[in-house]
Amino acid sequence: MEQAWRYVSGTMMGMLAFLAPVKGLVICAVVFVMIDFMTGVIASRRRASRRGGVWGFESRKAWNTVMKLAFVMLGIVLAWMIDVQILSFMKLRLA
């Protein structure tokens, strides 16, 4: 178990170290997606109260936020990797 934990934590730290140059952009994207999630919950509550219904949190809809965050992160990482690894001679500064 100890060896598995070291492998997992080492892999995670390696991935985080690889993404260190785009840390600010990733943090900004996470903040904006979380703000989007919170405003969506607030809008859903208000919509339910205007209709006179009972509001309930649906985890199925919350997974849309997780997917959105994953795709945003994927876009940032891919743009950065294209900029640094593939088109490094052009110095495009995509991410």
Side-chain angles (χ1 to χ4, degrees):
M1 188 67 175
E2 175 86 19
Q3 189 174 6
W5 172 250
R6 285 185 182 182
Y7 178 75
V8 169
S9 64
T11 302
M12 292 292 286
M13 289 299 119
M15 289 168 53
L16 287 174
F18 182 70
L19 298 175
V22 289
K23 177 180 68 173
L25 189 58
V26 168
I27 290 171
C28 185
V30 169
V31 167
F32 280 124
V33 170
M34 289 301 116
I35 290 171
D36 177 57
F37 174 74
M38 288 186 288
T39 56
V41 169
I42 292 168
S44 175
R45 289 189 75 179
R46 287 189 180 165
R47 195 176 307 123
S49 68
R50 284 184 187 151
R51 292 181 181 167
V54 178
W55 179 79
F57 184 80
E58 296 181 35
S59 64
R60 177 183 45 177
K61 289 184 179 180
W63 276 105
N64 291 340
T65 300
V66 174
M67 292 300 294
K68 184 187 304 184
L69 185 60
F71 283 125
V72 167
M73 295 298 195
L74 183 65
I76 290 170
V77 169
L78 287 178
W80 176 71
M81 286 182 65
I82 287 171
D83 186 30
V84 173
Q85 304 294 330
I86 298 172
L87 301 175
S88 60
F89 62 92
M90 289 185 175
K91 301 198 186 297
L92 293 175
R93 302 279 182 184
L94 297 174

